[in-house]
Amino acid sequence: MSEPTHEVKLTVNGVPHSVSVPARRLLSDCLRHDVGLTGTHVGCEHGVCGACTVLLDGEPVRSCLLFAVTVDGQSVTTMEGCRSAEGGLGPVQRAFMECHGLQCGFCTPGFVTTITAFLRDNSDPTEEEAREAIGGNLCRCTGYQNIVASVLRAAEILREGAVE
Amino acid sequence: MKPPAFVYHRPGSVAEAVETLAELGADGKVLAGGQSLVPVLNMRLAAPAALVDINRLGAELAFVETTADRVRVGALARHAQTERDEAAFAALPLLRQATRHVAHQTIRNRGTTVGSIVHADPAAELPAVLMLCDGTMELASAGGTRSVLVADFFLGPLESSLSYGELALAATFSLPPPRTGSAWVEVSRRAGDYALCGLGLTVSLDEDGRISRARAAYISVGPTPVLVDLTDAVAGQAHDAADWSAAGALAAGKVDPDEDIHATADYRRHLVGVLTSRAGRAASAHAAKAADR
Ligand SMILES: Cc1cc2nc3c(=O)[nH]c(=O)nc-3n(C[C@H](O)[C@H](O)[C@H](O)COP(=O)(O)OP(=O)(O)OC[C@H]3O[C@@H](n4cnc5c(N)ncnc54)[C@H](O)[C@@H]3O)c2cc1C
Ligand code: FES
Ligand code: FES
């Protein structure tokens, strides 16, 4: 017996997509398998690790705790959408590279999306605010210090960009 | 893991949602923010035949309404909306104080205040806040709407008096008397985790700045939040010199925590005592400030 499917329209990183998925398709799997963007990583699938974090209409959410069908018609920004407009590394990605904010990189997409939204709302965070902002994302490699530094560096890069 | 298959319904109005839930009976389950339900499905701890997604009912249910005597939170107000609402914060600071301890911002962007009350996790913050505020739940079904007092709402761990076919529309929190202060204090292993023990505490002062009433609601130390009246331990004492350790001892005698992999029962009882003192001092300072206004 084949499972019934639903037509779901999503705007992913500004590009409209239409997919046909069963109701139980998680947004994380929809992005990876149906839309074909594997930048969104899947760790725990119960909301704890934060690797799957994407922006839904601009706000960070766990894509592993959403059904694609629920967000039909909405806009999603993934790691791929955090690149610079010219296609190179985006400001947060650049900061991660400069500050060694990643090692294996498994957790990085969730950090990059979370930090992108955070810096949009708070362009000049204190170190404590930076720590709080990434409190819901787990990293098994870096020990976090370099990620905190990356948040502060990304804020700097963004402010420099705003001045130019 | 992946969730089991289910039939998906997406009503466009409360009336349609209630009708669908009535048809489904025991087979139907409401999907709100999904921040508790989807993990349960992903872990295959439950397999409801059908989900009724209420996320399109924002026009009717995404409200936080503050009036002279209450704050009413609609079923589609996300934790983040409740947390940010300035009118609700001014009237009932405890709501923001407690909501800030619910998971992380990312989870709060999606999870709902009402969903977390209906879910009735004994480790969750909002059920305790509703208790401390003598709240009520509005539940709608095909037969009409009923109001359930918080004292009758929580039956056990993950069990509320919501019946099959019912949709929770809103939670109403009563406002405390003037010169009342509040605090939320908890201990968890990592910031954002469910608490090993936590409490909300309210202190009301008389016109001379003496304590006239103190109450606390504790989480993670019983099958439902535990409401303890602390007035006897601190009544008549000056707000800045009250014997909060006596209040802590009183509360520790009223809880019967379980042991689990995170903490022993003794440690949890110890936390009840220590955190009561901490919350008592913070809430009285807050009450003194409220009295100054
Ligand atoms: C990593 C993580 C950490 C968390 N930490 C905390 C924490 O520290 N403290 C805390 O309190 N919570 C925590 N939560 C849970 C979070 O607060 C949820 O948002 C909340 O428990 C449920 O709200 P929801 O809207 O997501 O409900 P859902 O997950 O959609 O639903 C939960 C249950 O309530 C029912 N339900 C929901 N709304 C209605 C309604 N209107 N009418 C009838 N039935 C309804 C559903 O059928 C389901 O049974 C955490 C979640 C995660 C993933
Ligand atoms: S995969 Fe979604 S939070 Fe871990
Ligand atoms: S870089 Fe490996 S988990 Fe974070």
Side-chain angles (χ1 to χ4, degrees):
Chain A
M1 200 184 73
S2 75
E3 215 173 314
T5 58
H6 300 258
E7 295 303 312
V8 174
K9 289 192 178 7
L10 294 174
T11 302
V12 185
N13 306 325
V15 179
H17 289 269
S18 183
V19 295
S20 183
V21 294
R24 62 169 155 158
R25 177 80 89 243
L26 298 171
L27 178 61
S28 43
D29 289 334
C30 176
L31 291 167
R32 291 178 57 86
H33 304 303
D34 302 297
V35 176
L37 294 175
T38 52
T40 299
H41 289 179
V42 172
C44 64
E45 289 186 332
H46 46 270
V48 176
C49 74
C52 69
T53 306
V54 300
L55 309 185
L56 180 67
D57 291 337
E59 295 304 324
V61 293
R62 300 289 200 238
S63 62
C64 73
L65 298 186
L66 285 175
F67 296 115
V69 67
T70 300
V71 299
D72 181 21
Q74 293 185 255
S75 294
V76 178
T77 306
T78 66
M79 172 72 166
E80 289 90 342
C82 297
R83 280 185 290 220
S84 77
E86 301 76 46
L89 293 181
V92 180
Q93 292 167 313
R94 228 179 85 198
F96 266 71
M97 193 184 76
E98 289 178 16
C99 301
H100 304 284
L102 69 155
Q103 289 178 25
C104 78
F106 193 87
C107 66
T108 312
F111 277 96
V112 169
T113 48
T114 304
I115 293 165
T116 298
F118 170 66
L119 294 177
R120 177 198 62 207
D121 300 337
N122 183 350
S123 59
D124 192 9
T126 62
E127 184 185 325
E128 199 185 328
E129 288 165 343
R131 278 181 194 278
E132 173 69 25
I134 59 166
N137 293 68
L138 298 182
C139 173
R140 301 307 301 266
C141 300
T142 63
Y144 300 102
Q145 304 302 335
N146 290 349
I147 300 184
V148 174
S150 304
V151 178
L152 299 174
R153 175 67 188 129
E156 229 170 62
I157 295 174
L158 281 160
R159 288 198 305 272
E160 285 162 11
V163 171
E164 271 165 28
Chain B
M1 279 178 4
K2 309 300 175 191
F6 52 83
V7 177
Y8 179 72
H9 299 270
R10 187 166 63 202
S13 68
V14 167
E16 191 188 337
V18 166
E19 206 175 292
T20 307
L21 284 167
E23 278 162 23
L24 293 168
D27 287 338
K29 196 131 192 64
V30 171
L31 172 68
Q35 303 301 289
S36 293
L37 182 55
V38 180
V40 164
L41 298 180
N42 286 357
M43 290 185 261
R44 301 250 172 159
L45 298 173
L51 292 189
V52 179
D53 183 348
I54 62 167
N55 284 284
R56 294 301 152 106
L57 309 185
E60 286 175 273
L61 296 179
F63 60 82
V64 177
E65 214 177 70
T66 302
T67 57
D69 59 351
R70 59 174 174 72
V71 175
R72 186 165 164 260
V73 180
L76 215 59
R78 315 277 175 195
H79 291 299
Q81 182 183 350
T82 306
E83 178 184 352
R84 278 198 286 259
D85 193 280
E86 291 299 337
F89 177 61
L92 187 63
L94 181 61
L95 205 48
R96 182 183 291 176
Q97 290 168 339
T99 300
R100 287 216 160 132
H101 288 272
V102 176
H104 306 281
Q105 189 63 54
T106 305
I107 308 285
R108 297 201 293 273
N109 282 341
R110 194 71 195 168
T112 63
T113 301
V114 167
S116 117
I117 293 170
V118 173
H119 191 57
D121 190 318
E125 287 80 3
L126 273 309
V129 174
L130 193 72
M131 260 196 180
L132 210 42
C133 297
D134 302 312
T136 50
M137 293 296 289
E138 278 164 63
L139 311 177
S141 67
T145 303
R146 64 179 179 128
S147 260
V148 180
L149 295 176
V150 65
D152 302 321
F153 191 69
F154 299 114
L155 304 180
L158 306 185
E159 197 189 349
S160 75
S161 57
L162 182 102
S163 314
Y164 293 126
E166 277 187 318
L167 173 68
L169 296 181
T172 298
F173 303 82
S174 313
L175 301 190
R179 295 186 301 275
T180 296
S182 60
W184 185 275
V185 173
E186 68 178 50
V187 166
S188 57
R189 301 180 85 199
R190 289 167 300 240
D193 280 11
Y194 281 104
L196 295 176
C197 172
L199 73 147
L201 191 150
T202 57
V203 174
S204 304
L205 304 181
D206 64 18
E207 298 195 337
D208 304 322
R210 292 182 185 280
I211 296 174
S212 56
R213 182 159 109 133
R215 295 201 308 165
Y218 297 83
I219 62 171
S220 293
V221 291
T224 62
V226 182
L227 186 66
V228 180
D229 195 326
L230 304 169
T231 309
D232 282 350
V234 288
Q237 301 178 14
H239 68 79
D240 52 358
D243 185 4
W244 285 108
S245 55
L250 188 155
K254 302 262 182 188
V255 297
D256 187 17
D258 277 338
E259 165 166 326
D260 63 17
I261 56 164
H262 303 301
T264 62
D266 281 347
Y267 179 56
R268 285 200 158 93
R269 192 173 293 105
H270 166 75
L271 286 178
V272 165
V274 174
L275 297 184
T276 300
S277 303
R278 245 179 245 174
R281 284 191 296 272
S284 347
H286 187 227
K289 251 201 232 153
D292 276 348
R293 263 192 262 122

